Amino acid sequence: PTSRTNWSNGFVFPQFDSNVGILTSVEISSTSEMSGSIRYENTTSQVITVSGAVEGNVLVNLPNSRSLLVAGKVFSGTSVAQPFDQPPDSIPDFSGPSSGRFEYSNAISNSITLLAASDITPFVGTGTVQLPVSANSGWSASGGSANFALLLVNVADADAWLRYNYEIPKVEIEKLVNGQLADGANDS
């Protein structure tokens, strides 16, 4: 579910049943939708330029100290804020010409393919494999004189899919009669 960052949770997947075949690789992909807003208010008596940026990451922890990092810039923007329109000792209300808002929503994704036997072995069995996941965000903002109020709300969700790639062992059956191939070309 979508929650305010920073959060931790987990994915649970069924393990690969080795009775089906021989596991050759595991593909894991994760996507996160990060959204939110940066509200700002200029508290000076001059026009200022406000800049804001948000970066996010989702970290999926895999067995054997491996991980899948989904990271990227979620938002970057600039705007102009008019002088503060209230008495100097007023509390910013994030409304009027001295304030503004950046709204953003962006999806970030990444994937990994595990090939080494030591990496895919934990995925084999009849139970489940648990993959801890965390979502974090970081931000930066500037406003010229640095006298501005800022309110940031960032939320994120994460989902993942897992694909097992496997081979079915080739089985060859030969029919023998008295130690001889029964269906050979020299049969009479």
Side-chain angles (χ1 to χ4, degrees):
T2 301
S3 299
R4 288 187 184 206
T5 56
N6 300 332
W7 56 259
S8 296
N9 207 330
F11 298 122
V12 179
F13 293 101
Q15 288 179 303
F16 176 78
D17 184 349
S18 60
N19 291 321
V20 173
I22 300 169
L23 186 62
T24 58
S25 67
V26 178
E27 296 176 39
I28 304 166
S29 179
S30 183
T31 300
S32 175
E33 179 76 29
M34 293 198 170
S35 59
S37 66
I38 302 173
R39 295 173 61 188
Y40 58 86
E41 179 137 23
N42 179 2
T43 58
T44 71
S45 59
Q46 300 169 351
V47 173
I48 64 169
T49 299
V50 177
S51 298
V54 178
E55 292 188 5
N57 72 64
V58 171
L59 181 65
V60 181
N61 292 304
L62 307 174
N64 290 342
S65 301
R66 299 286 306 264
S67 61
L68 171 61
L69 178 63
V70 179
K73 184 166 282 196
V74 177
F75 169 80
S76 180
T78 301
S79 186
V80 173
Q82 299 301 313
F84 193 50
D85 56 359
Q86 302 292 324
D89 61 348
S90 296
I91 297 173
D93 61 4
F94 299 102
S95 65
S98 62
S99 66
R101 174 184 285 210
F102 298 119
E103 300 276 344
Y104 55 89
S105 181
N106 196 17
I108 53 177
S109 63
N110 198 5
S111 61
I112 187 171
T113 300
L114 304 175
L115 298 168
S118 60
D119 291 335
I120 64 176
T121 299
F123 291 90
V124 178
T126 57
T128 59
V129 61
Q130 311 246 345
L131 305 178
V133 60
S134 61
N136 298 288
S137 63
W139 60 273
S140 64
S142 64
S145 68
N147 287 321
F148 68 101
L150 182 72
L151 175 63
L152 170 75
V153 175
N154 194 55
V155 297
D157 66 4
D159 61 17
W161 62 261
L162 181 139
R163 180 185 348 217
Y164 292 128
N165 297 306
Y166 63 95
E167 293 177 354
I168 298 174
K170 184 177 179 183
V171 178
E172 291 187 25
I173 300 175
E174 293 181 348
K175 188 165 109 179
L176 301 176
V177 174
N178 296 328
Q180 301 291 320
L181 285 174
D183 294 328
N186 296 328
D187 290 348
S188 349

